[in-house]
Amino acid sequence: MQTHAFTPEILKVLAKNFGESCAAQILHESPLLGYLNTKTKSASRGAKSRGSFANHYALYVVIEDYIKGGFYAKESEVPYSKYEGARFSDLFARQRQLPFGAKLQNHALNSRLNDEFRKYYPGLGIVPIVRDLETQRYWIQEDLLSVEIRLGDGTDRVCNIAQPIIEIIDRYVEVKMAAFEGFIDTCRQIAELGEKDPEQATEFVKGQLQPNVDARVFEIVSYAVLKARYELQSVWLGETQETVEEEPLILYKTGRTNANDGGIDFVMKPLGRFFQVTETVDAGKYFLDIDKVQRFPITFVVKSSDPAEVIKESIKRQAVSKYKVEAVVEGYMKCVEDVVNIPALLDSFEHVISSGRLMSVMNEIIVQSKVEFSYNEEPSSDDDLDADFGIVVGVD
């Protein structure tokens, strides 16, 4: 089993519950703990790495229901096999009460956790969550909670890992929360220094517009830069010649990264341009995004330093190889309205800096980062970005 920076935290929880001599063996023997070990690699990678909270919390809420039902402590009068199961609405509401969970959807509970677990353990034949589609009731696969180990005296011991899993996920969330708060604090400090030391703030933003930066951070920063850049431009519009007026270009973000946005990450008003952020040069993905919006032209913001023409040529080359029919390829290529690469973003940022709008970019990064991580800020005024922020707690 591969170990990483968070593995000692898992072992610490297991040692507390079962003793130090048993911890490593339990981790090695348990597929469920092995899966958690794999899915907690990002704990030491800071706020920019994905937290995978959806799958963690799907597991969390089903096991929590198991414990509350008295099955872990063997307080229940009936065996777990006769338990009627947890209601989907209760589990779904509970996961949205957890830190970073306010915007989670139902996919992990219904399939994604099981599908991913099956990829890691294809020959096991069982998955963590059992559900009844007709009644919408859910259970944890109890066999995965029981781990049998051989003690030093030659006897066997069966360990129930339900409570330790809850503690491990709680600890993982604590680490991720501390990392995120550190990231936000860094943004704040840089923003505060922006007027006194704009060079430091500038380098911070440029550092987030690089090919090796996490996709979510790249999308947030590219949006902040493009929004400020387009605000410097305007168009003249009107229903008649007499009503023509100058209107600024305004860029809107459709939601969080990786959200179900229908193929659109940003929308520009009043021109109605669509923007999609991507970290790949994959013709299949580009054309899928184009199909999602019924062949409406899309500007692709690409996490690449390659020239825009090179990116377009690569897309076309892949398309020709895949579709063979030139008319089909050309139809799709006409929908690639523009390609905004990293050099173009950096050039836009230079224009923003020269216009004195550096702080606008910094503040937007803070706001969008909190949206991304489901943090809610309740400022005393609309422009008070230094107000205390807390975790969104709520249910549908």
Side-chain angles (χ1 to χ4, degrees):
M1 179 182 294
Q2 184 181 9
T3 61
H4 48 82
F6 191 75
T7 304
E9 296 292 331
I10 297 176
L11 291 170
K12 190 183 300 182
V13 171
L14 295 175
K16 186 190 78 171
N17 284 272
F18 305 110
E20 290 190 11
S21 61
C22 299
Q25 190 178 352
I26 293 172
L27 176 58
H28 178 74
E29 295 294 335
S30 168
L32 209 50
L33 290 173
Y35 172 78
L36 272 181
N37 181 64
T38 300
K39 296 300 291 181
T40 52
K41 289 179 182 179
S42 72
S44 62
R45 297 176 184 172
K48 299 176 185 179
S49 57
R50 297 192 182 280
S52 299
F53 294 112
N55 284 4
H56 284 104
Y57 283 165
L59 187 62
Y60 189 100
V61 295
V62 179
I63 291 179
E64 186 180 58
D65 177 77
Y66 172 87
I67 294 172
K68 287 182 176 179
F71 302 106
Y72 174 70
K74 300 188 183 304
E75 298 169 344
S76 175
E77 296 180 357
V78 298
Y80 192 60
S81 61
K82 295 185 180 298
Y83 173 50
E84 64 179 351
R87 296 189 306 173
F88 168 77
S89 56
D90 294 336
L91 297 176
F92 187 61
R94 175 55 181 149
Q95 72 173 5
R96 286 194 157 197
Q97 291 177 324
L98 297 169
F100 301 112
K103 301 291 181 68
L104 291 180
Q105 299 179 354
N106 65 336
H107 308 304
L109 273 169
N110 286 347
S111 61
R112 284 186 182 169
L113 169 61
N114 284 346
D115 290 346
E116 189 173 61
F117 182 84
R118 194 180 287 111
K119 290 179 182 178
Y120 287 111
Y121 299 97
L124 195 60
I126 55 176
V127 289
I129 293 180
V130 179
R131 67 184 180 123
D132 186 321
L133 291 174
E134 184 176 342
T135 63
Q136 284 292 288
R137 296 281 179 166
Y138 290 68
W139 299 261
I140 183 69
Q141 177 65 253
E142 194 173 23
D143 288 350
L144 290 174
L145 297 178
S146 297
V147 182
E148 185 174 345
I149 59 172
R150 177 61 59 90
L151 301 178
D153 61 4
T155 60
D156 293 331
R157 178 184 179 185
V158 177
C159 304
N160 189 309
I161 58 173
Q163 183 59 42
I165 285 178
I166 295 293
E167 295 175 17
I168 289 167
I169 295 176
D170 282 341
R171 178 57 185 149
Y172 173 71
V173 173
E174 287 177 9
V175 173
K176 294 298 291 183
M177 189 182 300
F180 174 71
E181 289 174 350
F183 175 67
I184 287 293
D185 188 55
T186 298
C187 290
R188 276 209 182 97
Q189 291 179 29
I190 295 294
E192 291 172 0
L193 288 171
E195 295 180 3
K196 301 176 183 178
D197 189 358
E199 184 175 340
Q200 185 178 355
T202 298
E203 291 306 311
F204 172 82
V205 175
K206 287 181 177 179
Q208 314 311 309
L209 295 173
Q210 299 299 326
N212 61 342
V213 169
D214 175 79
R216 295 171 304 170
V217 174
F218 178 80
E219 181 172 325
I220 289 169
V221 177
S222 63
Y223 169 72
V225 169
L226 290 175
K227 180 183 179 183
R229 176 70 175 99
Y230 288 125
E231 285 175 345
L232 300 175
Q233 303 176 33
S234 61
V235 293
W236 292 84
L237 294 174
E239 293 185 3
T240 66
Q241 185 174 354
E242 290 74 21
T243 59
V244 170
E245 293 183 352
E246 185 178 13
E247 293 191 33
L249 299 181
I250 304 174
L251 200 64
Y252 293 91
K253 199 170 186 298
T254 59
R256 298 188 306 159
T257 61
N258 278 355
N260 184 16
D261 50 35
I264 310 168
D265 288 324
F266 316 147
V267 177
M268 177 187 285
K269 186 181 178 181
L271 296 183
R273 285 181 66 185
F274 289 173
F275 294 74
Q276 181 73 353
V277 184
T278 178
E279 55 184 329
T280 66
V281 183
D282 181 347
K285 182 184 183 305
Y286 282 55
F287 295 168
L288 176 62
D289 290 334
I290 290 169
D291 282 335
K292 285 180 181 179
V293 292
Q294 303 296 307
R295 305 292 181 93
F296 191 91
I298 297 178
T299 293
F300 289 94
V301 182
V302 188
K303 195 175 72 168
S304 171
S305 296
D306 291 339
E309 290 306 316
V310 171
I311 294 173
K312 286 183 180 180
E313 185 58 35
S314 176
I315 297 170
K316 185 173 183 178
R317 187 168 57 252
Q318 294 176 53
V320 169
S321 176
K322 180 176 182 179
Y323 296 104
K324 310 299 182 184
V325 180
E326 187 173 330
V328 174
V329 174
E330 289 302 321
Y332 276 110
M333 292 306 298
K334 287 179 181 178
C335 295
V336 181
E337 184 174 35
D338 196 7
V339 170
V340 178
N341 60 3
I342 289 176
L345 287 169
L346 292 173
D347 182 64
S348 291
F349 186 47
E350 292 295 339
H351 282 279
V352 170
I353 294 171
S354 62
S355 69
R357 297 183 59 79
L358 173 61
M359 294 303 297
S360 176
V361 173
M362 295 305 307
N363 290 338
E364 191 66 42
I365 291 172
I366 295 173
V367 170
Q368 295 301 328
S369 294
K370 290 177 181 178
V371 171
E372 172 66 25
F373 288 89
S374 301
Y375 266 64
N376 183 37
E377 187 172 52
E378 297 180 356
S380 57
S381 63
D382 291 341
D383 58 354
D384 183 9
L385 289 175
D386 292 324
D388 291 336
F389 59 91
I391 304 165
V392 173
V393 178
V395 298
D396 284 349

